[in-house]
């Protein structure tokens, strides 16, 4: 189940990770080792076993519908790398 | 004169209560210890010279959000980030008067087993600074052992509280999934992440757990404890049945010195009156690691999507927005988060989801069932926490899979959502060995009882030999 350079770049793009050439080499090799190890899960026939998404027996937890103060604008924007007025400023979407 | 190496949180609270020392004086004593020893050990990423509160100090792993105090999760991508609200656990500690001493080092986003993945440099083991303290919560564990905090909070996804406690020789609890709020915690893998205490004694550990546990309306995955936390007092184990899972005690890679110390501790349980018997967790031992290294990265790839350079944290310069996201993430994340994001994205992508993530979730059911069956016969299970004692810095950094094996024995019960307590049970090659006690869901009180009785019987000296005066 080896993953080649093209697949790696595709996955990196899905994850919005720009990888440098050196990283493609190094992380690619490590990734293949990791995928080979985790592929072990496919040895088991579990067609009749239900999945576990989390280990707690709680479903549909509802909160009380009580209005409360939101974070003040200045605090919400306090960590912004760049802001403009009451908004987070980002570069324009390109092509 | 306060000996922070020996002082327990219980003793410290008593000194403050009797007004023999003021909270500010106590805080200052720890700052002095930090100034003396932390330049070598690097447990702290941020030290709070000033703090409010009429209680004793506590250190917090740097994945725990603290209002007005930098919180980096050991990552460059959060350098300079200062939360504008407290995590619920912090709110609860402050309500009890606890003073925040500082934020402790961690592998980046709690991903690792040695703290060597911290973007701010590794923490060193107080028993031997050429060795790692374990991880990801190596900063909290080393700080408690080195007398740089009376106790601390950590977080545990696959062993990040238990394993560093084992390698540093102190007490660490990974609580039952759902008993401690994650609101305000930097998320790694949400179906696994748990916050828990690190302390010098089992009683301190139990008391700290009682302060943070319970339902939080801000975290819908929390529940109230079915019974209150009991501070352990007794010194016998009569009436308890302790299971010894064969595969977790005989796994390949367990050092002989670790096996020997754990076997002696288990024998001691028998002498204290427990009924000890063998049990078996074959699939958990064999498939736990591959299952974990699919589920945790899959959830991490989703949780770490928020680091996009838009609202907080690091932003790389770029003329185009998508380029900005991708470059921010390349420059801001270190290797381990990148590996996990890539593995996780791959395991969740169309065409691979069923074979990887879906299959891992089914393996998780199998692991839960195996543990359920064991707890029909036993009140607790015992095995080593870490297969090895603390290893030298650099020994596993070039081999991600070798590093992953550090958590071989802690992972299965994490997947099952069960509580696990590490207590030190002896030395091998002059370094601490950790005993892992695993309980059924909400079985913390039983773990505290066993841990406390063993602690008294074993008489382990938690102060590293090189620091004893």
């Amino acid at each position: 189940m080896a993953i080649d350079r093209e697949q790696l770049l595709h996955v990196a793009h899905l994850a919005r990770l720009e990888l440098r050439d050196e990283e493609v080499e190094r992380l690619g090799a490590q990734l293949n080792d990791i995928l080979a190890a985790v592929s072990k899960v496919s040895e088991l026939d579990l067609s009749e076993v239900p999945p576990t998404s989390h280990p707690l027996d709680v479903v549909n937890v509802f909160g009380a519908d009580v209005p409360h103060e939101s974070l003040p604008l200045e605090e919400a924007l306090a960590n912004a790398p760049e802001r403009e007025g009451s908004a987070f400023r980002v570069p324009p979407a390109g092509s | 004169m306060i000996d922070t190496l020996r002082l327990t949180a219980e003793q410290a609270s008593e000194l403050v209560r009797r007004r023999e020392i003021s909270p500010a004086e106590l805080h200052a004593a720890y700052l002095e210890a930090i100034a003396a020893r932390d330049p070598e050990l690097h447990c702290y990423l941020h030290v709070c010279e000033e703090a409010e509160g009429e209680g004793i100090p506590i250190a917090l792993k740097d994945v725990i959000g603290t209002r007005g105090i930098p919180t980096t999760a050991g990552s460059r991508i959060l350098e300079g980030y200062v939360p504008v609200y407290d995590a619920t656990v912090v709110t609860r500690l402050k309500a009890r008067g606890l003073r925040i001493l500082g934020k402790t080092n961690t592998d980046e986003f709690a991903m690792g087993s040695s703290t060597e993945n911290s973007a701010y440099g590794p923490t060193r083991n107080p028993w031997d600074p050429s060795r790692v303290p374990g991880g990801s919560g190596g900063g909290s564990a080393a700080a408690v052992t080195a007398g740089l905090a009376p106790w601390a909070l950590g977080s545990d996804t696959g062993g990040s509280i238990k394993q560093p406690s084992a390698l540093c020789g102190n007490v660490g609890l990974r609580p039952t999934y759902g008993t401690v709020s994650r609101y305000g915690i930097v998320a790694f893998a949400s179906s696994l992440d748990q916050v828990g205490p690190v302390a010098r004694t089992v009683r301190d550990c139990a008391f700290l757990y009682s302060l943070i546990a319970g339902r939080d309306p801000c975290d819908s995955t929390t529940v109230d404890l079915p019974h209150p936390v009991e501070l352990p007092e007794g010194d016998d184990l009569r009436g308890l049945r302790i299971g010894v899972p064969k595969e977790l005690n005989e796994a390949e890679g367990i050092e002989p010195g670790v096996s020997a110390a754990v076997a002696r501790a288990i024998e001691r349980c028998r002498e204290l009156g427990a009924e000890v018997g063998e049990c078996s967790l074959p699939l958990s031992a064999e498939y736990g690691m591959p299952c974990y290294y699919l589920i945790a990265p899959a959830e991490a790839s989703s949780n770490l999507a928020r680091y996009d350079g838009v609202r907080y944290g690091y932003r790389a310069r770029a003329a185009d927005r998508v380029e900005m996201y991708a470059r921010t993430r390349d420059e801001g994340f270190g290797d381990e988060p990148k590996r996990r994001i890539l593995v996780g994205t791959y395991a969740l992508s169309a065409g691979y989801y069923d074979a990887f993530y879906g299959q891992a979730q089914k393996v998780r059911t199998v692991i839960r069932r195996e543990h359920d069956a064991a707890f029909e016969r036993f009140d607790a299970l015992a095995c080593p926490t870490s297969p090895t004692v603390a290893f030298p810095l650099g020994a596993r950094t070039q081999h991600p899979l070798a590093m992953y094996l550090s958590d071989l024995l802690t992972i299965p019960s994490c997947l099952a959502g069960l509580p696990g307590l590490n207590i030190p049970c002896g030395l091998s090659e002059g370094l601490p060995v950790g005993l892992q006690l695993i309980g059924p869901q909400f079985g913390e009180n039983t773990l505290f009882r066993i841990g406390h009785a063993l602690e008294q019987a074993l008489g382990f000296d938690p102060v590293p030999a090189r620091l004893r005066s």
Side-chain angles (χ1 to χ4, degrees):
Chain A
M1 179 86 55
I3 148 167
D4 60 23
R5 182 188 167 84
E6 195 185 329
Q7 276 176 303
L8 177 63
L9 290 174
H10 173 66
V11 172
H13 172 70
L14 290 176
R16 299 294 183 269
L17 264 181
E18 179 183 281
L19 296 182
R20 285 159 283 141
D21 283 347
E22 168 271 328
E23 289 182 304
V24 174
E25 288 282 312
R26 188 163 44 85
L27 297 179
Q30 293 172 343
L31 221 60
N32 274 318
D33 288 347
I34 295 168
L35 288 173
V38 297
S39 294
K40 190 174 168 61
V41 296
S42 61
E43 292 172 2
L44 296 170
D45 175 8
L46 302 174
S47 44
E48 303 301 315
V49 177
T52 293
S53 59
H54 74 104
L56 209 59
D57 294 323
V58 291
V59 280
N60 292 347
V61 176
F62 298 103
D65 190 11
V66 183
H68 62 90
E69 290 282 314
S70 300
L71 210 53
L73 184 67
E74 284 308 312
E75 290 192 22
L77 287 164
N79 282 287
E82 259 190 279
R83 65 177 283 190
E84 191 173 301
S86 62
F88 295 99
R89 187 184 165 89
V90 291
S95 47
Chain B
M1 181 64 189
I2 294 291
D3 180 6
T4 62
L5 278 164
R6 296 263 170 215
L7 193 69
T8 65
E10 195 169 2
Q11 291 163 344
S13 303
E14 187 58 19
L15 290 179
V16 169
R17 199 185 60 77
R18 292 204 308 251
R19 299 184 187 276
E20 287 180 30
I21 190 168
S22 74
E25 286 166 341
L26 191 61
H27 194 100
Y30 284 96
L31 292 178
E32 222 170 277
I34 291 168
R37 287 193 284 277
D38 209 42
E40 179 186 42
L41 299 175
H42 191 43
C43 300
Y44 283 91
L45 295 179
H46 182 90
V47 175
C48 301
E49 301 288 335
E50 307 273 331
E52 303 203 338
E54 293 308 305
I56 70 170
I58 187 163
L60 304 172
K61 187 181 180 184
D62 205 28
V63 297
I64 298 172
T66 40
R67 182 181 169 92
I69 302 171
T71 300
T72 67
S75 181
R76 286 280 171 220
I77 212 162
L78 280 174
E79 192 164 12
Y81 171 65
V82 181
V84 294
Y85 68 102
D86 276 328
T88 296
V89 289
V90 175
T91 306
R92 290 189 178 178
L93 297 180
K94 283 182 173 175
R96 299 296 291 259
L98 269 74
R99 301 163 65 103
I100 298 170
L101 198 45
K103 305 298 290 292
T104 55
N105 201 7
T106 166
D107 285 295
E108 188 173 357
F109 287 103
M111 297 171 178
S113 308
S114 69
T115 69
E116 291 167 293
N117 293 335
S118 168
Y120 304 97
T123 296
R124 291 169 181 272
N125 193 308
W127 289 80
D128 174 355
S130 72
R131 292 174 187 265
V132 303
S136 64
S140 280
V144 169
T145 286
L148 310 186
W151 53 9
L153 287 185
S155 71
D156 187 304
T157 303
S160 288
I161 292 174
K162 294 185 285 183
Q163 184 259 12
S165 274
L167 270 44
C168 290
N170 58 39
V171 180
L173 172 74
R174 176 203 161 85
T176 300
Y177 182 84
T179 57
V180 181
S181 169
R182 284 96 52 85
Y183 179 71
I185 309 298
V186 176
F188 162 13
S190 302
S191 79
L192 292 155
D193 296 346
Q194 271 302 277
V195 175
V198 182
R200 204 163 292 130
T201 66
V202 175
R203 280 176 63 89
D204 280 357
C205 180
F207 184 65
L208 185 49
Y209 177 57
S210 76
L211 298 185
I212 58 172
R215 172 150 169 75
D216 172 18
C218 294
D219 178 354
S220 60
T221 61
T222 52
V223 292
D224 272 321
L225 301 186
H227 28 251
V229 174
E230 291 163 17
L231 289 189
E233 284 178 352
D235 54 8
D236 77 81
L237 297 177
R238 278 192 291 274
L240 284 176
R241 302 161 302 167
I242 297 174
V244 182
K246 185 174 150 58
E247 297 81 6
L248 296 183
N249 281 278
E250 294 169 10
E252 198 187 318
I254 300 180
E255 291 173 348
V258 169
S259 281
V262 167
R264 279 195 300 273
I266 293 172
E267 187 47 41
R268 193 51 77 90
C269 290
R270 201 193 304 269
E271 290 163 17
L272 294 172
E275 200 181 299
V276 177
E278 193 179 271
C279 66
S280 188
L281 297 168
L283 297 174
S284 302
E286 192 172 355
Y287 294 92
M289 213 197 67
C291 172
Y292 176 84
Y293 278 101
L294 281 165
I295 288 176
E299 295 184 9
S301 72
S302 170
N303 273 323
L304 269 54
R306 73 192 64 181
Y307 302 102
D308 55 9
V310 173
R311 292 152 299 158
Y312 48 83
Y314 175 75
R315 175 188 291 188
R317 296 280 139 219
D320 168 83
R321 191 161 71 236
V322 176
E323 213 177 295
M324 185 277 281
Y325 299 148
R327 196 165 302 157
T328 293
R329 291 160 64 76
D330 181 47
E331 293 175 8
F333 289 135
D335 278 1
E336 190 59 32
K338 282 179 189 168
R339 279 191 284 268
R340 301 214 190 178
I341 288 169
L342 291 167
V343 169
T345 305
Y346 184 70
L348 290 173
S349 62
Y352 300 100
Y353 181 97
D354 288 340
F356 283 122
Y357 187 64
Q359 179 78 356
Q361 285 190 310
K362 292 178 174 182
V363 174
R364 195 170 182 182
T365 304
V366 170
I367 291 171
R368 286 181 74 186
R369 288 176 178 171
E370 266 191 1
H371 282 80
D372 286 348
F375 285 112
E376 280 175 19
R377 293 170 51 214
F378 297 104
D379 302 302
L381 307 178
C383 65
T385 304
S386 161
T388 69
V389 293
F391 46 91
L393 269 90
R396 298 182 190 173
T397 41
Q398 299 308 310
H399 308 285
L401 281 172
M403 189 69 87
Y404 292 178
L405 281 170
S406 312
D407 294 325
L408 180 72
L409 308 174
T410 50
I411 279 175
S413 56
C414 293
L415 286 164
L418 303 177
L421 181 75
N422 175 78
I423 65 160
C425 67
L427 296 176
S428 169
E429 302 167 46
L431 296 163
V433 174
L435 171 74
Q436 178 176 213
L437 296 165
I438 301 162
Q441 197 175 40
F442 308 118
E444 277 83 353
N445 283 339
T446 303
L447 302 185
F448 296 145
R449 181 182 161 197
I450 300 171
H452 176 74
L454 265 183
E455 189 175 53
Q456 309 311 309
L458 293 169
F460 178 83
D461 185 346
V463 178
R466 57 186 282 276
L467 297 178
R468 283 174 210 160
S469 49

